[in-house]
Amino acid sequence: MKVISVNDQIEGGKVAFSLLKDAMSEGAKTLGLATGSTPLSFYKEIANSDLDFSEMTSINLDEYVGLAADNAQSYHHFMKENLFQYKPFKKSFLPNGLATDLQAEARRYNQVIAEHPIDFQILGIGRNGHIGFNEPGTPFDMTTHIVDLAEDTIEANSRFFDSMDDVPKQAISMGIKSIMQSKMVVLMAYGKDKADAINQMINGPISEELPASVLQNHPNLVVIVDEAAASELD
Ligand code: GLP
């Protein structure tokens, strides 16, 4: 594991972008993408670059159950607004949160991942150490699955919704097994809210109670943190 300290999120986005450029020059074809406020500066770097993504594939981590792709809070919409409208990929995959048969949708998504092995996976981290929407207690060998979101996650996500009642309570998420199979993982974390999760992820025991701790076993992990997110590291 390599930990890179940056001054702020802007610099973190630049560092992640330069890692991506290197990976693409070495042949990376499929990017695993994340939502949330954390990767925004990274997506800005991509959007403002002259890198060509027209032969690249993207696979997102997750989507809320029950939100249509054109819902302003959906992750489909987030990706279009923040990245795809500027940089169209050859193919972009996200789980379908409106699928009537969610188990079949999870199987379809596993097939997508199997057909497009992920070369470069971007991750944020939840305050409780979740990655994607793999909440504490998720078995490490899970593939795509339907998730009942943790109270803490619903509360954290409520900032994007008009009321707590509007926040979806379920999501469909790529599993930890698939995340661990990506060739390279770049996890970014900014701000004091993430300090405890980052410390436990790096220094704590590898435990399903802190999903991101599994990344200690990943052979090619880069963690990008600002000072606040690194503030509880020993
Ligand atoms: C959501 C997403 C995660 C993201 C997390 C943190 O739960 N499913 O992929 O890492 O939020 O979000 P933020 O970056 O806004 O702190």
Side-chain angles (χ1 to χ4, degrees), residues 34-38 61-62 75 124-126 130 132-133 153 157 159 194:
T35 53
S37 43
T38 303
L61 286 166
D62 45 17
Y75 286 170
I125 186 170
H130 74 243
F133 266 135
T153 304
N157 293 346
R159 68 190 195 276
K194 305 293 171 71

Side-chain angles (χ1 to χ4, degrees), residues 170-233:
Q170 281 193 315
I172 179 163
S173 180
M174 185 188 292
I176 289 175
K177 186 173 178 188
S178 309
I179 293 173
M180 287 300 281
Q181 282 168 348
S182 47
K183 241 193 192 155
M184 178 173 189
V185 176
V186 176
L187 183 145
M188 297 179 279
Y190 309 115
K192 184 88 190 103
D193 265 9
K194 305 293 171 71
D196 179 47
I198 285 294
N199 182 42
Q200 289 194 56
M201 170 185 114
I202 294 178
N203 295 317
I206 298 177
S207 156
E208 288 171 357
E209 288 316 306
L210 200 292
S213 64
V214 72
L215 295 168
Q216 290 178 29
N217 285 335
H218 195 283
N220 193 4
L221 168 70
V222 178
V223 180
I224 299 173
V225 277
D226 68 359
E227 206 178 310
S231 60
E232 287 181 30
L233 287 175

Side-chain angles (χ1 to χ4, degrees), residues 10-219:
I10 307 272
E11 191 188 340
K14 290 185 195 304
V15 171
F17 177 69
S18 108
L19 293 170
L20 172 65
K21 259 199 334 206
D22 292 349
M24 283 172 64
S25 70
E26 286 162 18
K29 283 268 166 265
T30 302
L31 307 188
L33 299 179
T35 53
S37 43
T38 303
L40 284 174
S41 60
F42 170 65
Y43 293 152
K44 265 216 173 85
E45 288 294 321
I46 296 182
N48 293 333
S49 76
D50 52 16
L51 269 194
D52 177 23
F53 288 79
S54 62
E55 288 304 313
M56 301 287 291
T57 297
S58 68
I59 303 187
N60 261 79
L61 286 166
D62 45 17
E63 178 57 285
Y64 288 118
V65 167
L67 296 194
D70 62 358
N71 184 301
Q73 302 308 334
S74 76
Y75 286 170
H76 276 81
H77 187 260
F78 175 99
M79 291 309 302
K80 190 169 158 211
E81 282 291 293
N82 294 298
L83 186 59
F84 298 152
Q85 65 165 318
Y86 305 109
K87 287 284 180 191
F89 284 57
K90 185 176 176 187
K91 282 187 194 157
S92 286
F93 297 99
L94 284 102
N96 175 10
L98 282 189
T100 42
D101 183 343
L102 289 168
Q103 298 304 335
E105 175 59 10
R107 286 195 295 277
R108 179 193 73 88
Y109 214 60
N110 285 334
Q111 194 56 38
V112 165
I113 298 165
E115 284 165 12
H116 306 276
I118 298 171
D119 297 304
F120 187 95
Q121 176 68 55
I122 282 292
L123 291 179
I125 186 170
R127 300 186 300 203
N128 62 3
H130 74 243
I131 45 178
F133 266 135
N134 293 283
E135 297 283 22
T138 307
F140 287 157
D141 61 358
M142 276 305 236
T143 55
T144 307
H145 59 288
I146 315 307
V147 182
D148 292 325
L149 297 175
E151 277 306 316
D152 184 68
T153 304
I154 294 170
E155 200 264 315
N157 293 346
S158 65
R159 68 190 195 276
F160 299 111
F161 293 83
D162 289 340
S163 80
M164 278 291 260
D165 287 344
D166 292 336
V167 190
K169 309 294 183 288
Q170 281 193 315
I172 179 163
S173 180
M174 185 188 292
I176 289 175
K177 186 173 178 188
S178 309
I179 293 173
M180 287 300 281
Q181 282 168 348
S182 47
K183 241 193 192 155
M184 178 173 189
V185 176
V186 176
L187 183 145
M188 297 179 279
Y190 309 115
K192 184 88 190 103
D193 265 9
K194 305 293 171 71
D196 179 47
I198 285 294
N199 182 42
Q200 289 194 56
M201 170 185 114
I202 294 178
N203 295 317
I206 298 177
S207 156
E208 288 171 357
E209 288 316 306
L210 200 292
S213 64
V214 72
L215 295 168
Q216 290 178 29
N217 285 335
H218 195 283

